[in-house]
Amino acid sequence: AKQWRGVLHEYADRLDVSDKTPIISLGEGGTPLIYAAALSARTGAKVWVKYEGMNPTGSFKDRGMTMAVSKAVEAGAKAVICASTGNTSASAAAYATHAGITAAVLVPEGKIAMGKLAQAIAHNAQLIQVQGNFDDCLDIARELSANYPVHLVNSVNNDRIEGQKTAAFEVVEVLEDAPDFHFIPVGNAGNYTAYTRGYTEELERGISTRLPRMFGFQAAGSAPLVNGSVVKNPETVASAIRIGNPASWDLALAAREATDGYFGAIEDDMILAAQRILSAEVGIFVEPASAISVAGLLERAEAGQVPAGSTVVLTVTGHGLKDPQWALKNADGGEIAPTIVPVDVSEVASVLGLAKGSA
Ligand code: F0G
């Protein structure tokens, strides 16, 4: 049987790849678009979830990384570098090692989720913890790539955006048009930019009939695009988007303008509540940063900004297993401890609240 071949093969006609491009792929893309009945019932919209946690390293970064690493190898690079809140480093490490080149990754010390740290190390990256935040890491990575023989694979590299735009192609293919609204988490705003580009190309080719309104969300303690100014010390439980100075700031503003879009800020407790709703009611487990798409939809629907019957797509960017600690806390922040029982059927039945009798 034929399997999905990764975004560079599947969309070769839509990307700058040629016979000379060595395609470095782990089979990324082709992720499910899942109809979420529970979210549709809560909002009155038709809500679909683009589950990017299903990519090879568990986040959407793989779509951009297959392109960026393939083009880097085509250009003769022997090493790539990135700054990261975790997912980019996991992805860069996997694709670089698959290509037989080195990845150096700079992460903010003590500020990235354990699963992501483990991935970068497992994939043999040169991992450096910087005593600063993500924005400091990106400054260093940019300067290193300008002055040393290392190829930058952050989303300031246009190859990343190109690869990531393929997610919009997949959405249009499944829905047979673009949705009315697209909700997405925003950190550097690379992915917000990428979806806008993908949808714009679909419209220009006559494959879709509209541009979705692009609704991007930042954590309230880390919302420079909402505030309109750089945040010096960004804070949020959504460590993936703890970014105070988005690299794609100007592109993001242009994308919002072009799509009649919106940037909103969401408090951490609402992010975690949305994460719980998605996992407990829909069956999709995502990391906190990804849940902000859900929180944003609930907030905008509550504000009357999502007309009943609208088609809505939420991108959920990263898998819940990368940062599982939040799922083990209740809404008050207390630890959730599963009940312990002796080896005894009637004890288990009693804990489960089962009365004797056949099913
Ligand atoms: N969601 C997740 C899970 C992410 O890891 C990121 C970014 C975003 C959303 C935001 O995407 O930056 O394109 O607006 N993570 C980067 C990283 C910064 O280093 O992994 P963006």
Side-chain angles (χ1 to χ4, degrees):
K2 186 170 161 286
Q3 69 171 346
W4 177 264
R5 296 167 303 159
V7 298
L8 297 198
H9 280 298
E10 299 289 343
Y11 297 109
D13 57 330
R14 312 285 299 268
L15 295 166
D16 179 23
V17 290
S18 73
D19 298 348
K20 294 186 191 60
T21 313
I23 293 185
I24 312 302
S25 175
L26 293 167
E28 60 294 317
T31 56
L33 185 69
I34 301 164
Y35 186 72
L39 297 177
S40 302
R42 277 174 176 268
T43 58
K46 292 180 218 128
V47 183
W48 298 80
V49 178
K50 185 67 169 158
Y51 193 11
E52 290 290 277
M54 293 299 283
N55 277 293
T57 75
S59 87
F60 73 99
K61 305 287 180 179
D62 295 343
R63 295 179 183 276
M65 208 54 75
T66 183
M67 184 74 181
V69 171
S70 296
K71 297 299 280 185
V73 171
E74 182 176 358
K78 295 284 180 283
V80 295
I81 190 165
C82 66
S84 183
T85 55
N87 283 322
T88 298
S89 59
S91 186
Y95 282 81
T97 210
H98 194 66
I101 65 173
T102 305
V105 306
L106 308 179
V107 302
E109 183 193 13
K111 295 286 193 187
I112 80 167
M114 180 74 80
K116 303 174 187 178
L117 190 72
Q119 285 181 290
I121 291 169
H123 296 311
N124 207 25
Q126 292 182 290
L127 180 113
I128 299 176
Q129 299 207 58
V130 176
Q131 294 173 317
N133 60 29
F134 169 84
D135 305 292
D136 300 318
C137 294
L138 185 57
D139 288 344
I140 295 174
R142 289 176 108 143
E143 199 168 324
L144 282 172
S145 68
N147 297 301
Y148 296 83
V150 285
H151 193 98
L152 188 65
V153 293
N154 279 107
S155 58
V156 293
N157 176 340
N158 187 56
D159 296 330
R160 281 274 314 278
I161 308 287
E162 281 291 297
Q164 287 172 212
K165 77 183 180 186
T166 59
F169 300 167
E170 293 174 16
V171 170
V172 170
E173 199 165 331
V174 174
L175 298 181
E176 297 179 331
D177 203 342
D180 298 309
F181 293 85
H182 192 113
F183 286 71
I184 187 167
V186 172
N188 280 308
N191 212 27
Y192 184 93
T193 302
Y195 272 90
T196 303
R197 187 182 295 178
Y199 282 128
T200 303
E201 290 183 9
E202 294 287 89
L203 181 65
E204 284 169 352
R205 288 174 152 241
I207 297 169
S208 59
T209 66
R210 60 174 93 99
L211 278 184
R213 298 183 65 191
M214 293 295 301
F215 276 35
F217 293 85
Q218 301 196 292
S222 180
L225 288 167
V226 181
N227 305 345
S229 58
V230 171
V231 176
K232 279 265 178 296
N233 295 304
E235 268 311 331
T236 169
V237 295
S239 59
I241 52 172
R242 193 186 278 137
I243 292 172
N245 188 13
S248 294
W249 193 305
D250 296 341
L251 291 171
L253 294 185
R256 178 180 63 180
E257 177 80 27
T259 67
D260 190 19
Y262 174 84
F263 292 126
I266 303 287
E267 298 288 345
D268 279 0
D269 58 343
M270 298 310 290
I271 295 175
L272 294 176
Q275 182 192 31
R276 240 172 267 123
I277 288 167
L278 190 63
S279 58
E281 297 182 17
V282 184
I284 297 175
F285 190 29
V286 300
E287 61 173 289
S290 305
I292 205 168
S293 297
V294 178
L297 168 64
L298 296 176
E299 190 264 342
R300 287 290 84 194
E302 182 77 36
Q305 298 299 308
V306 183
S310 304
T311 300
V312 172
V313 171
L314 314 179
T315 292
V316 294
T317 44
H319 206 288
L321 293 174
K322 284 172 172 275
D323 192 10
Q325 59 167 319
W326 307 103
L328 297 172
K329 291 190 165 63
N330 61 32
D332 308 321
E335 297 291 329
I336 296 171
T339 309
I340 298 170
V341 298
V343 185
D344 184 311
V345 172
S346 59
E347 277 286 340
V348 176
S350 127
V351 170
L352 293 175
L354 296 173
K356 207 154 189 171
S358 54

